[in-house]
Amino acid sequence: MRRVSIPYDRTVLEAEIDERNFLGCFESALPAAAADQAAAVREALDRPVGSPLLEELAAGRRSAVIIASDHTRPVPSRILMPQLLERLRRGSPGIDVTILIATGFHRGTTRRELVEKFGEKIAADEKIVVHDSSDESMLTSLGTLPSGGELVINRLAAETELLLAEGFIEPHFFAGFSGGRKSVLPGIAARRTVLANHCSEFIQSPYARTGNLENNPIHRDMLFAAETAKLAFIANVIIGRDRKIVRAFAGDPVAAHAEGCGCLRRFAGVAVPQADIVLTGNGGYPLDQNVYQAVKGMTAGEAACREGGVIIIAASCSDGHGGESFYRNLAEAASPEELLARVAAVPRGRTEPDQWEFQILARILSKRKVIVVTRDCDHRMLERMHLSAASTLPEALGMAYALLGPEAKVAAIPDGVSVIVNPSRCL
């Protein structure tokens, strides 16, 4: 028997799988965190990819905007931001710097969260503006995206003399990777621009998948937005499960991001044999607090599980479904297939909030059964969303074997949000 552990909330759930069923356990191979976090960033800034030094870019500039991730992203800003500020002022001592919080579609970051993110000194001494995607007074139009949607971003970013961004790179389930150009779109874009970019047509694209940028229509719009906004420099990091920096990349927004994505792909890529049953998780707390977030881990199961198979995901979902629109659209649908057909008919300009999330879950459910393993969430609610539920991994495995037979092959992907399944598909 092989024992498998899956992160769940702040602990793990375990199960034993017979050797005759077990295909293997597949995890990312991220190296240990850098011994000196600040030095890793400093070295990246000293040797920028495809770009002059940041202090050289700043020379003669009167203003700069640094786009910073918001409270929902574990970017180590306490390490990144002081170095960016110091180099800007080294290059142009009198430069007027604004830190613009890239909230995207999220709520505004609070004062307390700014202190937690940057530390008391930066939160108190620096000019910080929190982006609001619905506040038209903050926004300005820069034209039209390749998709046809209007490109509207924060006016501060559009009008500054030097635009740069901090961020981190991780696998993303429809943009391919986070980081780089995502600081602009969706980070500091208008609500209507984000919705146009996340349209059903693009989410449906086979290229809008984890680890893939080539021919990805969502990435194409994002890249265009960053270039049009004149994003000039990025400082991005890869972080481990302990949220410490593993690698740092700085320089040209396209070249530095590409180097970071290539590095992460080497570490996070896992070749998983096609399985009848995939056992996975969403990384535990805080990523497994609701069904909405757990969809990300399910996409790793989708990539590894055959059609007609079963995805078992361990996720606490202690906060429930994670979004009323997300829940309602699934619960009110006669079937996942019916919901998919309805979403497919929604034009680019009529995308509704959370549409992409229930579209992806419906896509998964239309081809595979999903069993959510949770002790902290109402099983009846999950069933109304066309999901199945179990309280333990052995119980879920028993349900899957009952459906597929005792010889069904099982692959384990303990942390579905940290891997890129089958890297040969990632162009």
Side-chain angles (χ1 to χ4, degrees):
M1 301 293 283
R2 298 293 294 271
R3 182 175 292 277
V4 173
S5 297
I6 308 292
Y8 176 91
D9 193 28
R10 299 177 190 272
T11 182
V12 297
L13 299 182
E14 295 186 330
E16 291 189 337
I17 303 170
D18 196 294
E19 291 281 0
R20 66 191 174 98
N21 300 99
F22 193 58
L23 292 173
C25 186
F26 304 92
E27 301 182 81
S28 66
L30 280 175
D36 187 331
Q37 305 281 289
V41 174
R42 185 165 56 251
E43 290 167 11
L45 292 170
D46 283 341
R47 291 189 291 273
V49 180
S51 168
L53 293 167
L54 179 56
E55 45 268 54
E56 294 176 15
L57 290 176
R61 308 293 181 110
R62 292 169 297 177
S63 66
V65 167
I66 307 173
I67 304 173
S69 299
D70 72 357
H71 56 283
T72 68
R73 300 292 186 261
V75 178
S77 299
R78 286 177 180 243
I79 297 172
L80 285 163
M81 191 58 68
Q83 296 199 41
L84 293 175
L85 290 167
E86 189 277 328
R87 289 184 184 243
L88 284 172
R89 288 166 177 151
R90 187 192 308 171
S92 179
I95 195 167
D96 180 16
V97 181
T98 300
I99 299 171
L100 179 59
I101 306 300
T103 53
F105 227 54
H106 308 144
R107 67 163 173 81
T109 302
T110 66
R111 162 72 185 177
R112 178 180 177 182
E113 288 165 339
L114 289 174
V115 172
E116 290 174 353
K117 181 174 181 60
F118 297 116
E120 185 64 52
K121 180 172 175 54
I122 287 179
D125 295 349
E126 299 295 336
K127 186 190 305 181
I128 301 176
V129 175
V130 179
H131 173 70
D132 182 344
S133 65
S134 298
D135 184 351
E136 291 296 327
S137 69
M138 298 180 74
L139 306 171
T140 188
S141 177
L142 295 184
T144 304
L145 295 165
S147 63
E150 186 183 7
L151 173 56
V152 181
I153 70 166
N154 191 285
R155 186 181 303 278
L156 290 171
E159 295 179 351
T160 190
E161 292 187 7
L162 180 63
L163 182 64
L164 58 151
E166 58 146 49
F168 84 122
I169 302 172
E170 67 173 348
H172 190 279
F173 66 135
F174 58 78
F177 292 93
S178 66
R181 74 284 184 239
K182 271 185 105 266
S183 292
V184 175
L185 174 58
I188 57 164
R191 173 188 177 95
R192 60 187 180 277
T193 300
V194 177
L195 291 175
N197 176 251
H198 290 20
C199 65
S200 65
E201 177 187 345
F202 289 0
I203 294 295
Q204 188 177 332
S205 169
Y207 297 104
R209 295 292 188 273
T210 304
N212 187 65
L213 298 178
E214 189 165 323
N215 296 321
N216 185 329
I218 293 170
H219 167 67
R220 184 168 58 243
D221 264 8
M222 291 176 173
L223 196 61
F224 178 88
E227 291 172 346
T228 304
K230 298 181 181 179
L231 181 65
F233 193 93
I234 63 168
N236 279 190
V237 295
I238 294 172
I239 59 175
R241 283 189 57 80
D242 57 3
R243 298 189 177 184
K244 292 184 178 179
I245 297 169
V246 173
R247 294 282 191 277
F249 306 87
D252 176 78
V254 175
H257 184 249
E259 186 168 307
C261 292
C263 177
L264 181 58
R265 185 181 286 118
R266 291 192 296 275
F267 293 139
V270 291
V272 185
Q274 189 174 70
D276 302 306
I277 302 167
V278 176
L279 192 58
T280 190
N282 216 56
Y285 182 87
L287 297 179
D288 74 343
Q289 293 182 82
N290 55 56
V291 183
Y292 186 103
Q293 291 297 328
V295 174
K296 298 175 181 178
M298 293 178 203
T299 60
E302 176 189 29
C305 184
R306 69 167 175 85
E307 289 192 16
V310 176
I311 299 167
I312 298 172
I313 183 163
S316 168
C317 300
S318 56
D319 286 343
H321 47 67
E324 188 58 36
S325 173
F326 171 68
Y327 168 73
R328 179 174 43 77
N329 275 278
L330 284 154
E332 293 177 0
S335 67
E337 292 81 2
E338 182 269 330
L339 179 55
L340 274 181
R342 176 160 55 82
V343 172
V346 177
R348 292 179 186 176
R350 299 291 297 277
T351 305
E352 65 175 279
D354 296 338
Q355 177 181 294
W356 47 92
E357 207 78 8
F358 61 73
Q359 180 182 1
I360 292 171
L361 181 50
R363 182 188 75 205
I364 295 169
L365 289 169
S366 70
K367 303 290 186 181
R368 297 157 183 87
K369 185 179 185 66
V370 176
I371 303 172
V372 180
V373 179
T374 175
R375 302 185 299 251
D376 306 304
C377 180
D378 183 357
H379 287 193
R380 292 169 299 178
M381 181 203 73
L382 295 170
E383 290 161 1
R384 287 192 290 270
M385 297 174 71
H386 304 278
L387 297 158
S388 297
S391 297
T392 67
L393 291 181
E395 179 189 355
L397 282 167
M399 294 165 62
Y401 287 135
L403 285 168
L404 302 176
E407 303 298 320
K409 301 301 182 184
V410 182
I413 307 174
D415 184 358
V417 298
S418 70
V419 298
I420 303 168
V421 174
N422 191 1
S424 64
R425 292 178 55 193
C426 302
L427 307 176

